[in-house]
Amino acid sequence: MHPPIEPYDHGHLDTGDGHLVYWEVCGNPEGKPALVVHGGPGSGCTPRQRRAFDPGRYRIILFDQRNCGRSLPHASDPATDLTTNTTHHLVADMERLREHLGVDRWLLHGGSWGSTLILAYAEAHPERVSEIVLAGVTMTRRSEIDWLYRGVSRFLPEQWQRFRSGVPEDERDGDLLAAYARLMSDPDPDVRARAAHAWAAWEDAVIAHEVNGAPNAYSDRPSPALQAFVRICAHYFSNAAWLEEGALLRDAHRLAGIPGVLVHGRLDLGAPLETAWRLARAWPDARLVVVDDSGHTGSDAMRREIRAAMDRFGAAPPG
């Protein structure tokens, strides 16, 4: 990765409906605009994400999606209303941020949930996107959500049973994600803490089971950040991200003319390769790069592929 850098500008974008979305800009003010779209949902952006870009070539823009990271109000407070936190609101925030920063067209980069949000934005505003680089591709279809929170249990039955036991007994055979969403909005802090740790323990187990996976990949964060992450994830996934099933794949033709690179680990347990493969077949300007030694959290080989794509696109004129 490129050396660490610090932002030269930052602020909060007032969305007009009670949200203040944190943003920052680093790199070359005259460089090619590029937007980092973090995963989760609810993870927030990190200093490490700045380092995928050559700071001499890129104007690197990062933002914390609604109710997480440094955006306000924060989802760790159960009084925070998540009604106006949906995929469509986030797409509108991205477009509002583009206008606020005076960007005409930008490269979009993200992974996991970030790839879903990027696809939703790019299909809505293809004329504003110069290139796309995705890692760990997801489209947050119901089938993908069901696989991650139920299907993977065939590999990790004991860990999934603990995840299932994290909700009240009378809800364990129903919609687990909706049950967790309710628990994460409970006014009792102990209820929220137990639910957050049970959810994160399942996410940790899936990642730790992968090649290059590390224990505590999700739970190793401060309590407010963890609770916001779990609450927002449960909110989104229990509602299938407010996306019509298969819509992002169906509308991939809207990405025609946008060069894309899809970098995906062959050993990704939580987001199997099939999703990236289907997207590459539907998007004629995308190139699929399969990294044989990588799971969802990546590898040195995956990071080299991402950097190569960024360096290649960075050589093109700014959008």
Side-chain angles (χ1 to χ4, degrees):
M1 303 186 78
H2 291 278
I5 52 174
E6 293 298 322
Y8 64 79
D9 197 9
H10 69 278
H12 281 89
L13 179 70
D14 188 339
T15 65
D17 59 356
H19 292 268
L20 295 174
V21 172
Y22 173 83
W23 58 267
E24 64 182 36
V25 188
C26 49
N28 181 356
E30 303 302 321
K32 184 185 188 74
L35 179 70
V36 176
V37 182
H38 67 69
S43 291
C45 60
T46 68
R48 183 179 177 85
Q49 291 168 333
R50 306 167 188 157
R51 299 176 58 194
F53 305 85
D54 180 343
R57 292 180 172 181
Y58 280 100
R59 180 187 178 196
I60 309 157
I61 303 162
L62 300 91
F63 75 109
D64 290 329
Q65 294 160 30
R66 292 188 177 206
N67 304 126
C68 72
R70 288 150 291 186
S71 291
L72 299 170
H74 203 259
S76 60
D77 181 351
T80 296
D81 182 7
L82 300 186
T83 303
T84 54
N85 188 342
T86 71
T87 302
H88 310 294
H89 287 96
L90 299 185
V91 167
D93 291 346
M94 292 165 66
E95 183 62 1
R96 189 177 289 109
L97 179 60
R98 182 194 64 78
E99 294 174 349
H100 176 72
L101 296 177
V103 173
D104 181 36
R105 298 169 69 232
W106 47 11
L107 177 149
L108 303 179
H109 171 52
S112 194
W113 158 255
S115 58
T116 294
L117 184 52
I118 283 170
L119 292 170
Y121 174 89
E123 290 178 9
H125 303 283
E127 72 284 358
R128 297 304 181 185
V129 181
S130 56
E131 300 93 3
I132 295 174
V133 180
L134 304 181
V137 180
T138 72
M139 291 185 281
T140 315
R141 295 171 293 173
R142 287 171 177 81
S143 58
E144 295 173 60
I145 296 169
D146 186 67
W147 169 256
L148 177 58
Y149 295 103
R150 192 173 297 273
V152 180
S153 67
R154 66 194 65 180
F155 298 102
L156 301 165
E158 181 179 353
Q159 293 89 335
W160 186 79
Q161 189 61 39
R162 288 198 290 267
F163 175 64
R164 179 175 175 268
S165 298
V167 305
E169 187 172 356
D170 61 351
E171 297 186 272
R172 291 174 187 171
D173 293 324
D175 187 338
L176 289 178
L177 306 188
Y180 270 102
R182 286 192 292 274
L183 292 174
M184 291 307 303
S185 296
D186 194 285
D188 187 333
D190 291 335
V191 170
R192 298 197 306 275
R194 286 194 298 271
H197 284 291
W199 180 290
W202 170 248
E203 300 269 16
D204 286 346
V206 175
I207 289 298
H209 195 68
E210 292 185 342
V211 64
N212 301 319
N216 304 320
Y218 290 91
S219 58
D220 188 17
R221 60 185 76 195
S223 179
L226 177 62
Q227 292 203 21
F229 166 73
V230 174
R231 188 179 177 206
I232 294 171
C233 279
H235 172 64
Y236 268 76
F237 297 151
S238 63
N239 287 287
W242 299 272
L243 294 170
E244 181 185 344
E245 182 69 357
L248 296 181
L249 187 62
R250 180 198 67 205
D251 294 340
H253 63 90
R254 294 182 57 81
L255 305 174
I258 302 174
V261 177
L262 316 179
V263 186
H264 204 99
R266 189 177 297 281
L267 305 177
D268 192 325
L269 181 61
L273 175 60
E274 178 259 357
T275 296
W277 181 79
R278 287 188 179 277
L279 178 60
R281 288 171 62 86
W283 177 6
D285 297 286
R287 180 172 65 93
L288 174 61
V289 179
V290 179
V291 182
D292 288 329
D293 75 343
S294 180
H296 197 64
T297 53
S299 66
D300 287 343
M302 177 177 278
R303 285 181 281 274
R304 284 194 295 270
E305 292 290 350
I306 293 170
R307 175 165 174 168
M310 297 298 191
D311 288 349
R312 185 169 66 256
F313 289 146

